[in-house]
Structures are given as structure tokens and as C-alpha cells.
Amino acid sequence: MKSLVLENLSKTYFDPYRGTQFTAIKDVSLQVGEGDFVAVVGPSGCGKSTILNMIAGFVPISGGRILVDGHQVKGPGPDRGVVFQSHALFPWKTVAENVTFGPKMRGVGKAERARIAEEYLALAGLSHAAERYPNELSGGMQQRVGVVRALANNPDVLLMDEPFASVDAQTRMTLQEELTRIWEERRPTVVFITHDVSEAVFLANRVVVLSKGHVLAEVAVPLARPRSWTRLVEDDGFKALSNQVLQLVRSA
Ligand SMILES: Nc1ncnc2c1ncn2[C@@H]1O[C@H](COP(=O)(O)OP(=O)(O)OP(=O)(O)O)[C@@H](O)[C@H]1O
């Protein structure tokens, strides 16, 4: 896993209704060190998804630079794994085939792919579901497959855009705990977009608050790990940080 640097990033969209340019992102600079976990929060429309899509290479930038491991991003690439809210698994492939799709495309042989499937499905607690098809899984299980499918490509940076937004509250807490465990075990470099302040504080080492396309504040989260909801839900430090971030988002 490698570092990610955003330097004076900006994005201008053409607004077809007004016939004018609209600045969605202005002068955003951010450093995410190797093995760090940064969450980006902010009100609807502040530019969270635009930033993530520019890092992923799906949306062209208007100004500034994006560097992954020192190399400038010019488009999508396997050095960045992306997990969206809708997991977008291949319905005609088994869970194991979904997880090893990226390695297969890179020419990884069958025996090594079987090892990768075993390793990553065990990491997600899904070994028993290897031969099932996505429509035979719950929404939470499908999201888990989406996360380890991205990790199985061994990306430099893992980009997550509200990956747990569409599951029920109970499942979401379980997935958040699993993601922290996986992050603590593997230490991927993560940028995690969410509008859920407690999710951001629970998961991240640092929370970036966006306001109208620029960085309003960065809040360090020095809470001890491993983190669990049982412990943090009553933790004064967690409550104070969540409150601080919430006030920032409300003022954004
Ligand atoms: N393709 C596009 N063309 C024009 N404007 C766009 C386009 N995509 C996004 N925008 C505008 O850019 C701004 C930022 O949008 P973005 O989706 O990045 O925000 P967000 O913070 O992710 O919002 P949400 O939390 O609601 O998903 C919004 O005002 C949006 O209307």
C-alpha cells in the first residue's frame, strides 16, 4: 500500500441549465500517508464523490495534481481499488470468482487465484460462501465481497464511497467493525467518503470536513485500536470528537 497526495486540486463542471461553469472543488490539498485511514465528510453536494472520482481517475481534474506513490494519476488504474455503495458484483460469477476477477485479468494462474480466494474470503468471514452466487447473499455479505474484491487486487490505495450506506443500521455497525479489523490486519491506505459523522470517527485516523468544495477542517482521531462499538458507544473521547465533527459539518 502506498501514499496518496492531492495538490491544489480543483474541478469545474459545466452547468447546462445556466450555461455557466460551476466550481465543485477548489484548491483541495491532502496527504494520506502509507497505511493511513482518512475519512471525508461534509454536507450533500460539498464535493465528496467528485474528489473520490477524480482520485479513481473516472472524472478528469480541472487543476492541481493527484499523486499515488509519487506517480501522477492520468486515468483509472489497478493501483486504486474502488468500493461503491452498490457493490456491482458480477451476478453470473460465484463469490470466489468475483474476488479473483482482478487477479485473473492480470494473468494470475488458477492455483494462485484459489489461494487468493481462500485468503480474502477468510479475511471477510465468507469462506463458507465461496461457491454461492451474489443473489444468494444478504446485502451485508455482498458488501463484504465488494470490499475484499477490491483488496484482492492489492491496490496502493483503497477508495470507498459510502460503501455501507444501503445496509440496515445493525449490519452497518458489523461491517464497520469488520473493516477496522481488516484495516488493522492489512493496513491498506484508505480514503473513505461518508455523510455519517460517527462512521467517519469510528473508522478513521483523521476526518477531513469539506465545505462547498474546499477543506474546512481536519480533525485527528487518536482513539485507541482495536475499536468496537460496544466500547466506543459510551466512550467520552468518541462522543467529544463526533460532536466536534458534527458541529463542523453543520457549519459547512
Ligand atoms: N457531472 C456533473 N455535472 C455538473 N455538476 C456536477 C456533476 N457532478 C457533480 N456535480 C455538482 O458538483 C457538486 C458536488 O457534487 P458531489 O456529488 O461531488 O457531492 P457530494 O458531496 O458527494 O454529495 P452527496 O453527499 O449528495 O453525494 C454538486 O453541486 C453537484 O451538483
Side-chain angles (χ1 to χ4, degrees):
M1 294 288 172
K2 304 287 166 51
S3 64
L4 168 73
V5 176
L6 311 185
E7 279 177 5
N8 310 106
L9 198 61
S10 69
K11 177 67 192 176
T12 309
Y13 287 115
F14 178 70
D15 183 340
Y17 301 100
R18 293 191 180 140
T20 53
Q21 298 290 332
F22 167 73
T23 303
I25 297 296
K26 43 185 175 254
D27 204 23
V28 166
S29 294
L30 181 66
Q31 301 224 0
V32 186
E34 182 163 3
D36 203 357
F37 195 130
V38 169
V40 179
V41 298
S44 182
C46 70
K48 302 183 292 294
S49 294
T50 297
I51 288 187
L52 190 112
N53 283 321
M54 287 195 288
I55 301 170
F58 299 148
V59 166
I61 67 175
S62 305
R65 291 204 305 169
I66 301 172
L67 303 169
V68 173
D69 190 27
H71 302 288
Q72 201 166 339
V73 166
K74 300 248 191 264
D79 54 339
R80 284 145 291 146
V82 189
V83 184
F84 289 111
Q85 181 175 341
S86 70
H87 35 76
L89 302 176
F90 300 121
W92 63 89
K93 289 184 183 293
T94 65
V95 164
E97 286 167 348
N98 265 283
V99 170
T100 55
F101 179 77
K104 187 177 181 184
M105 289 298 105
R106 283 186 282 116
V108 173
K110 203 170 171 183
E112 176 61 6
R113 293 207 305 272
R115 191 201 62 72
I116 290 172
E118 202 177 307
E119 175 187 341
Y120 284 92
L121 290 175
L123 190 64
L126 284 170
S127 303
H128 62 288
E131 298 312 315
R132 292 203 209 166
Y133 287 87
N135 69 357
E136 299 173 302
L137 307 179
S138 68
M141 288 165 85
Q142 293 184 25
Q143 251 353 68
R144 281 185 192 99
V145 177
V147 172
V148 289
R149 180 177 62 169
L151 278 174
N153 283 317
N154 204 17
D156 290 342
V157 178
L158 188 60
L159 305 170
M160 308 183 86
D161 193 353
E162 305 218 28
F164 307 145
S166 59
V167 296
D168 63 90
Q170 199 65 40
T171 306
R172 184 154 63 230
M173 290 169 100
T174 309
L175 290 172
Q176 289 159 352
E177 289 186 328
E178 282 183 2
L179 181 61
T180 55
R181 178 182 54 75
I182 290 172
W183 180 81
E184 282 154 18
E185 255 181 78
R186 298 297 171 104
R187 294 298 299 264
T189 307
V190 180
V191 177
F192 191 104
I193 303 287
T194 180
H195 62 266
D196 180 339
V197 166
S198 43
E199 176 171 76
V201 174
F202 180 82
L203 292 170
N205 293 336
R206 189 160 35 114
V207 178
V208 174
V209 183
L210 278 192
S211 168
K212 302 182 188 81
H214 72 272
V215 175
L216 178 70
E218 289 196 25
V219 178
V221 185
L223 298 169
R225 294 181 185 270
R227 295 179 186 169
S228 73
W229 278 115
T230 321
R231 208 166 45 75
L232 285 187
V233 85
E234 293 298 337
D235 185 274
D236 287 340
F238 175 78
K239 287 187 204 165
L241 282 165
S242 301
N243 204 28
Q244 184 189 350
V245 175
L246 186 62
Q247 298 308 327
L248 286 164
V249 171
R250 284 195 159 168
S251 73

